[in-house]
Amino acid sequence: MESSGGSLFRNQGFVRLWVGQAISFLGDAISMVALVVLAAGLGGRASAVGGILVARLLPTLAGPFVGVLADRLDRKAILVGSDLARAALTLGIIFTRDIFTLYVLVFLIGLAKTFFNPTIRAAFPSVVAGGNLTRANSIISSTFSTSISVGPALGGFLVATAGLDVAFALDAVSFLISAIFLALVPFSRPEHAEDSGFFEEFRSGVGYLLLSRVPLAVVVGASLIVFTTDLVTPAEIFLARHFGAGTEGYGVLMSLYGVGMVAGSALMATVAERVRLLPVYLVALLGYAVALCGAGLSPLFTLALAAITLAGISNGVDNVTCDTILQTSVPENFLGRVFSVRFLGFGIGEAVAYPLGGLLTDATGPSHTYLIAGIATALALTFTIAMLRFAPSKRG
């Protein structure tokens, strides 16, 4: 493994992880379009598409228990196994002929993802030299942001020209490629007491997080931010229509948000270890709040687009700093459990925000929804700062 001052791109472990994840990110973004189209076709109603969201999110409820396994077992085995399972399940979607079977497969794919996400975050510091961790997270975040910017358009094109089966087959292949690359990455095995039981380690993980001021504030704050910022997701297309921009304007809005995310991640890659992460994280959350309020108050669509771009930049910076703060402040043998709680909070935040955001948009209109979300984000930031200042702590 390279020293902390070495180039990330001379670190073969990181390069393999990055390439595998890049291909998998793109495959996921492509297949998500196909999944929505298939659900709508099999179910015949919008609620069928909503059921896909529920099926994907339900497995995150098991996240804290999965996190114990991420801190006990061979992380490479978990990651490779999760990718192979997702490849097989995604191929299974090709042969699905009813909506119930589709829900079951999506649930199982979500379960495999629940194993994968906290484990890859927990394993990351062992692959990347410590001094390059911020830059490494920036590269991964930029790659993810790029995939969700171009992937849906590519997915729509593939579905229209080659059909649903091709999109799902490509996603399955992307998981296989990711599994191959991850199998070649050297991961350290986390240390844990050999005589400790599963539930004892679960309790110790919860106890660690509750008494660790910075990790607790970041995990709780990040979950609140997911909830407040995702309130605007149902309002996005209606904001474009509010300004008379229509579907094309919605496409521009989403593209600029994606460009902002890439730019925010790239910015963190540039400054890397030259900045203090916690203040930058808090400034990013403030930028997010200002951007959402600005979009809600904008009298012109061009100004709203500028605010949306700022929101994307803030989200890009937020993603990088949040991950890196946790990876650098939490001992390696607790990382799986801490990240699993973080992803649980994300899942709950999304599950509540989407329907509530839809109700807000129906009741108040898209502009007011953005303004409410901005104010709520500012309150979440205030709560995060209060936790950092006043929460009891025996660690960090």
Side-chain angles (χ1 to χ4, degrees):
M1 186 176 295
E2 293 286 326
S3 67
S4 62
S7 168
L8 276 172
F9 295 105
R10 291 197 297 269
N11 180 336
Q12 292 186 358
F14 171 75
V15 171
R16 290 165 181 163
L17 185 150
W18 173 51
V19 172
Q21 287 302 282
I23 294 170
S24 181
F25 288 156
L26 186 59
D28 276 354
I30 289 171
S31 71
M32 189 60 204
V33 175
L35 193 60
V36 170
V37 173
L38 180 61
L42 292 176
R45 295 177 296 179
S47 59
V49 178
I52 292 293
L53 174 64
V54 174
R56 288 179 65 200
L57 290 178
L58 277 178
T60 62
L61 297 176
F65 298 101
V66 170
V68 177
L69 299 178
D71 288 333
R72 286 175 64 96
L73 304 180
D74 185 337
R75 286 171 175 165
K76 180 185 291 189
I78 293 175
L79 295 172
V80 173
S82 297
D83 268 346
L84 292 176
R86 288 189 286 180
L89 292 165
T90 303
L91 279 177
I93 294 177
I94 294 175
F95 305 99
T96 299
R97 298 293 179 265
D98 63 88
I99 192 68
F100 177 76
T101 303
L102 181 62
Y103 287 160
V104 171
L105 289 173
V106 170
F107 173 85
L108 293 174
I109 291 171
L111 183 61
K113 187 176 182 180
T114 299
F115 276 86
F116 188 92
N117 280 346
T119 306
I120 194 74
R121 298 304 197 286
F124 208 52
S126 72
V127 178
V128 180
N132 286 327
L133 195 53
T134 302
R135 186 169 290 111
N137 278 315
S138 300
I139 293 170
I140 296 293
S141 181
S142 294
T143 304
F144 173 74
S145 299
T146 301
S147 72
I148 62 174
S149 297
V150 304
L154 182 57
F157 175 78
L158 280 173
V159 169
T161 58
L164 294 171
D165 292 353
V166 172
F168 290 125
L170 284 175
D171 192 22
V173 170
S174 77
F175 285 127
L176 289 175
I177 294 173
S178 174
I180 292 170
F181 275 99
L182 288 172
L184 299 174
V185 176
F187 293 106
S188 64
R189 184 159 184 162
E191 297 180 0
H192 68 93
E194 294 296 334
D195 58 346
S196 60
F198 180 90
F199 288 102
E200 183 181 348
E201 292 205 12
F202 174 79
R203 288 192 297 271
S204 69
V206 173
Y208 167 81
L209 186 58
L210 290 176
L211 293 176
S212 303
R213 179 177 297 164
V214 171
L216 179 63
V218 170
V219 167
V220 173
S223 301
L224 291 173
I225 293 297
V226 166
F227 164 68
T228 61
T229 57
D230 278 1
L231 286 171
V232 304
T233 300
E236 290 164 346
I237 190 168
F238 295 102
L239 183 70
R241 292 177 180 175
H242 170 74
F243 288 105
T247 304
E248 295 81 1
Y250 171 64
V252 172
L253 183 150
M254 295 307 296
S255 295
L256 286 177
Y257 184 81
V259 168
M261 286 182 66
V262 174
S265 300
L267 174 63
M268 290 307 301
T270 301
V271 299
E273 285 75 29
R274 295 199 299 271
V275 297
R276 294 176 59 199
L277 291 176
L278 190 56
V280 172
Y281 172 66
L282 297 176
V283 169
L285 300 188
L286 177 61
Y288 219 150
V290 170
L292 293 177
C293 288
L297 295 171
S298 295
L300 301 172
F301 189 51
T302 51
L303 294 177
L305 290 177
I308 295 300
T309 305
L310 175 60
I313 293 171
S314 300
N315 191 18
V317 174
D318 161 25
N319 288 340
V320 173
T321 52
C322 180
D323 279 354
T324 311
I325 288 169
L326 293 178
Q327 288 164 344
T328 54
S329 62
V330 176
E332 184 184 4
N333 60 319
F334 283 104
L335 277 172
R337 281 164 283 184
V338 170
F339 270 106
S340 67
V341 174
R342 178 197 159 189
F343 281 110
L344 171 63
F346 281 18
I348 293 174
E350 290 176 343
V352 176
Y354 291 153
L356 182 57
L359 292 174
L360 276 174
T361 304
D362 289 340
T364 67
S367 294
H368 285 99
T369 299
Y370 269 84
L371 182 58
I372 291 169
I375 294 171
T377 300
L379 292 174
L381 169 61
T382 303
F383 184 77
T384 302
I385 294 172
M387 288 191 69
L388 288 168
R389 178 69 178 85
F390 299 113
S393 177
K394 291 185 179 179
R395 308 177 183 88

